[in-house]
Amino acid sequence: MHRRTIGSSVLLFLLYALGSGASLAAAEVPGVPGAMPSAMDERVRACTSCHGVQGQGLNNDYFPRIAGKPADYLFNQLTAFRDGGRTYPPMGYLLAFLPDDYLRKISQYFADLQPPYPEADHGNVSPEVLAAGERLVRHGDPARKIPACIACHGARMTGTQPGIPGLLGLHASYIAGQMGTWRS
Ligand code: HEC
Ligand code: HEC
């Protein structure tokens, strides 16, 4: 028996739940209405333990909302986690052996979910910082050649097809983390 440093019984369960891609086809038996959605509900339990039952993200935490983001965007992220373009070991490990067509199904599943957005999370920032942030989001800063975030992420920041993710419902710490990763 191998013991992997990261392996907890939870992770092993998740791997088990996700790993048996072969039985996905069996779940799609024609004439069994609803078999596919419930099979996917089961299979993505590995994901929803961190991302919320509906992919809405978890409160007070770093785990991002994935529901309702464009399927192409989600697929690109999943292949990046799998192939090493984006690094978060617990997910890379989960996705390591999953084929593209299965990742497409998972992406479509979360893209189709539309759980309600959480209350805005204003954290501890001062009104000045909040106002400066809102200016950048809505108008950018032409003097510094910073475009408005809404120019790409949509007027309500819910994302735009085919590949731009919504920012609404993401935690401030997660957004800051992503921007820090790009900068470095
Ligand atoms: C152990 C907790 C955990 C598990 C399990 C997990 N994720 Fe994640 N997921 C995260 C975290 C944390 C991030 C953000 C990583 C980073 O900093 O880039 C993330 C990022 C993502 C992203 C990118 C989000 C974005 O908006 O760019 C997608 C898509 C995603 N996860 C889908 C999944 C799917 C599908 C599964 C199941 C196969 C899964 N995750 C399992 C914690 C988890
Ligand atoms: C020119 C278009 C454009 C502008 C302007 C833009 N973004 Fe983005 N943003 C993107 C694209 C495209 C992605 C997806 C990148 C990818 O596929 O990994 C993205 C991804 C992100 C993500 C990761 C989201 C996630 O779900 O993980 C964050 C956070 C983000 N942008 C924040 C911002 C902020 C804040 C601003 C304004 C200061 C901004 N963006 C302006 C195009 C843009």
Side-chain angles (χ1 to χ4, degrees), residues 64-66 69 72-74 76-77 86 133 136-138 140 146-153 157 163-167 170-171 174-179 182:
R65 178 182 179 100
I66 54 174
K69 289 183 174 165
D72 284 355
Y73 172 79
L74 295 176
N76 288 339
Q77 304 311 308
R86 197 172 165 178
L136 282 176
V137 167
R138 297 196 185 285
I146 300 174
C149 313
I150 61 171
C152 293
H153 288 279
M157 282 173 291
I164 303 189
L167 302 180
L170 293 176
H171 299 289
Y174 175 79
I175 295 179
Q178 297 307 308
M179 293 197 290
W182 282 318

Side-chain angles (χ1 to χ4, degrees), residues 4-177:
R4 312 204 189 205
T5 45
I6 199 173
S8 64
S9 55
V10 174
L11 198 50
L12 288 175
F13 163 76
L14 303 179
L15 282 167
Y16 167 78
L18 273 164
S20 46
S23 57
L24 188 61
E28 293 175 280
V29 180
V32 184
M36 178 61 194
S38 62
M40 272 314 262
D41 288 350
E42 280 296 304
R43 281 166 186 285
V44 298
R45 258 205 262 164
C47 318
T48 54
S49 60
C50 288
H51 289 284
V53 216
Q54 297 248 52
Q56 76 275 23
L58 296 185
N59 275 340
N60 306 320
D61 217 325
Y62 179 75
F63 300 158
R65 178 182 179 100
I66 54 174
K69 289 183 174 165
D72 284 355
Y73 172 79
L74 295 176
F75 177 74
N76 288 339
Q77 304 311 308
L78 293 179
T79 51
F81 282 115
R82 183 192 62 189
D83 302 336
R86 197 172 165 178
T87 309
Y88 179 67
M91 275 183 58
Y93 195 62
L94 264 181
L95 299 171
F97 300 108
L98 299 184
D100 282 9
D101 61 338
Y102 190 27
L103 296 187
R104 282 209 182 277
K105 288 194 171 98
I106 294 178
S107 301
Q108 195 60 55
Y109 175 86
F110 284 110
D112 289 342
L113 294 177
Q114 296 289 347
Y117 288 95
E119 296 288 309
D121 140 32
H122 286 163
N124 293 320
V125 297
S126 67
E128 292 73 27
V129 169
L130 206 54
E134 180 165 10
R135 261 196 316 279
L136 282 176
V137 167
R138 297 196 185 285
H139 308 291
D141 184 349
R144 290 155 69 201
K145 296 205 166 76
I146 300 174
C149 313
I150 61 171
C152 293
H153 288 279
R156 296 187 53 246
M157 282 173 291
T158 49
T160 49
Q161 295 290 348
I164 303 189
L167 302 180
L168 204 60
L170 293 176
H171 299 289
S173 58
Y174 175 79
I175 295 179

